[in-house]
């Protein structure tokens, strides 16, 4: 494509990753743009009344990557960094993620350029509702199904669902996933991403012959994904040496108490203020020695600059896009074989259980929590096995293998359906 509206470092990263995979699986040049470029991008202006009486307008986006396999699916991010390039990259990654997990979805992502922590609860509700209202013509249970991402949570999903339902004149739970259980959500969705990360980490530990009992982990990010991952790893006997969020980083070679960290965050909303003794410079956290390193915050934190300094055995990507292509090349060349659990596999637990929530909402038949996790682990295990087999067969990295499987699925569906008209 000669010119497009998508730009910026995160979009360039998604494009470069795709190019590497397309070269590997030998996708003809003329088919590449059709696979990579999003089908639709919607930009909306969302005005709200601020508490001080001003009217403020926030920019919102939704990018729907492809519609070939079913509705599009993906989270909604409220963050100051949000722009159409970042949202498009995240939508593209959702496509490969859903395809790898075998879900009948294309990828989507949405967001608002806003610092949600700078809004009052009333302002946050007004903005969430206005965003969904602006999106009504473009989403639907069989068109595009939203979910949480950075800066949004179950409450925001409940407001989305309520706004859409009020407009339609009936309750339509299946418009959004990641809702509270009391609003048609599924048991297990809140913990799904973190528990999925912990499941895959334990598979990687088994593979490397490391006992969970003696293993150590560091987690960057202490939102929904980071905190549940920390808790689930600790539950499996792994010692949590370090954690961080955007306000503070802590490191203690004797291990941190995850329940206490969670208790502190539940009260103060952030890690800052937890302990003065174990504070560490956040930029040093990723380079500490540990068995399992989990970036569970934002994109592009493992880069050409710091990839050679990592001292972990397993890199478990809880975040989307934490490792740049430059870092990937360095990790590959290092030769000490850091076992990478790439984002589109590692954090897929969230969208897999979102899929279960959508299915349950459509059927009005709700499952026990044990069934949710049993089915989740089966899907993650299958995807993990497929990735390992492909990496071995083609002698490629885990990321390349996972992406190749995802891209293959989308490409073959497009080929089979043909080009309309
Ligand atoms: N935002 C999450 C992700 O990046 C979840 C998406 C979903 O549940 O649809 O995978």
């Amino acid at each position: 494509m000669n010119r497009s509206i998508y730009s910026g470092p995160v979009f360039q990263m998604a494009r470069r990753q795709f190019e590497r995979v397309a070269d590997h699986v030998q996708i003809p040049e003329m088919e590449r743009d059709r696979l990579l470029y999003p089908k639709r991008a919607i930009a909306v202006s969302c005005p709200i009344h601020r508490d001080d009486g001003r009217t403020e307008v926030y920019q919102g986006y939704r990018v729907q990557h492809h519609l070939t396999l079913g509705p599009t699916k993906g989270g909604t991010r409220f963050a100051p960094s949000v722009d159409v390039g970042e949202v498009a990259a995240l939508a593209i990654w959702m496509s490969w993620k859903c395809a790898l997990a075998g879900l009948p979805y294309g990828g989507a992502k949405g967001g608002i350029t806003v610092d949600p922590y700078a809004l009052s609860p009333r302002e946050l509700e007004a903005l969430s509702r206005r965003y969904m209202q602006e999106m009504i013509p473009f989403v639907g249970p069989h068109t595009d199904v939203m979910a949480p991402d950075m800066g949004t949570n179950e409450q925001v999903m409940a407001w989305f669902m309520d706004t859409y339902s009020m407009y339609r004149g009936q309750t339509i739970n299946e418009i959004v996933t990641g809702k509270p259980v009391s609003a048609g959500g599924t048991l297990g969705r809140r913990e799904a991403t973190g528990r999925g990360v912990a499941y895959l980490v334990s598979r990687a530990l088994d593979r490397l012959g490391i006992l969970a009992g003696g293993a150590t982990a560091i987690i960057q990010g202490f939102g929904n994904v980071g905190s549940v991952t920390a808790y689930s790893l600790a539950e499996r006997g792994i010692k949590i040496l370090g954690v961080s969020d955007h306000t503070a980083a802590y490191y203690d070679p004797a291990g941190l108490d995850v329940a206490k960290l969670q208790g502190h965050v539940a009260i103060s909303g952030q890690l800052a203020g937890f302990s003065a003794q174990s504070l560490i410079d956040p930029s040093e956290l990723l380079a500490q020695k540990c068995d399992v390193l989990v970036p569970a915050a934002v994109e592009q934190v493992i880069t050409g600059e710091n990839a050679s300094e990592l001292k972990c055995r397993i890199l478990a990507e809880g975040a989307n896009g934490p490792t740049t292509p430059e870092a990937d090349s360095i990790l590959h060349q290092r030769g000490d074989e850091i076992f990478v659990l790439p984002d589109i596999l590692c954090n897929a637990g969230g969208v897999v259980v979102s899929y279960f929530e959508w299915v349950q909402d459509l059927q009005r038949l709700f499952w026990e929590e044990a069934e949710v996790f049993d089915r989740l682990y089966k899907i993650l295990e299958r995807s993990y096995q497929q990735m390992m087999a492909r990496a071995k067969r083609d002698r490629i990295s885990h990321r390349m293998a996972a992406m190749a499987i995802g891209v293959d699925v989308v490409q073959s569906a497009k080929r089979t359906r043909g080009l309309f008209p």
Side-chain angles (χ1 to χ4, degrees), residues 73-89:
K73 185 83 196 77
T76 313
R77 175 171 288 201
F78 289 1
S81 67
V82 164
D83 63 29
V84 72
E86 183 192 40
V87 173

Side-chain angles (χ1 to χ4, degrees), residues 358-387:
W358 180 71
V359 166
Q360 292 171 74
D361 284 342
L362 286 168
Q363 299 190 338
R364 305 285 185 262
L365 177 68
F366 289 88
W367 310 347
E368 301 288 332
E369 188 177 287
E371 182 172 1
V372 170
F373 284 108
D374 189 42
R375 285 176 180 263
L376 168 64
Y377 296 148
K378 277 198 184 119
I379 290 182
L380 292 179
E381 181 65 30
R382 183 185 65 200
S383 308
Y384 169 76
Q385 296 295 348
Q386 285 174 343
M387 177 191 79

Side-chain angles (χ1 to χ4, degrees), residues 154 157-158 161 173-174 176-190 353-354 356-358 360-361 365-367 372:
E154 290 190 342
M157 297 308 113
M161 187 277 277
N173 302 114
E174 56 272 25
V176 174
T177 62
K179 301 177 296 295
V181 173
S182 58
T186 179
L187 295 167
R189 174 62 184 88
R190 192 189 307 149
V353 176
S354 274
F356 296 160
E357 181 174 336
W358 180 71
Q360 292 171 74
D361 284 342
L365 177 68
F366 289 88
W367 310 347
V372 170

Side-chain angles (χ1 to χ4, degrees), residues 73-76 90 94 97 109 145-150 177 189 193 320 347-348 350-352 354-355:
K73 185 83 196 77
T76 313
L90 290 159
M94 282 304 300
K97 190 188 309 189
K109 196 71 117 203
V145 181
M146 294 184 186
D149 196 80
M150 241 171 71
T177 62
R189 174 62 184 88
T193 314
N320 292 310
N347 69 35
V351 72
V352 170
S354 274
Y355 165 62

Side-chain angles (χ1 to χ4, degrees), residues 33-149:
D33 283 356
R34 187 172 170 220
L35 274 166
L36 179 69
Y37 282 93
K39 174 57 64 187
R40 296 184 189 136
I42 299 127
V44 292
S45 297
C46 304
I48 61 160
H49 292 299
R50 297 297 304 265
D51 290 344
D52 62 9
R54 282 180 302 127
T55 299
E56 197 151 355
V57 180
Y58 295 90
Q59 201 70 55
Y61 304 96
R62 184 82 184 159
V63 174
Q64 299 167 350
H65 179 227
H66 77 83
L67 308 166
T68 312
L69 288 162
T72 49
K73 185 83 196 77
T76 313
R77 175 171 288 201
F78 289 1
S81 67
V82 164
D83 63 29
V84 72
E86 183 192 40
V87 173
L90 290 159
I92 291 167
W93 289 330
M94 282 304 300
S95 285
W96 315 144
K97 190 188 309 189
C98 292
L100 174 66
L103 308 182
Y105 293 136
K109 196 71 117 203
I112 303 181
T113 315
V114 62
D115 176 3
Y117 305 104
L119 299 180
S120 70
R122 189 205 62 79
E123 291 169 332
L124 184 64
E125 177 172 354
L127 186 57
S128 303
R129 288 186 179 279
R130 186 63 194 237
Y131 173 78
M132 174 46 105
Q133 190 275 325
E134 297 290 350
M135 288 295 162
I136 286 174
F138 312 105
V139 298
H142 298 285
T143 310
D144 183 14
V145 181
M146 294 184 186
D149 196 80

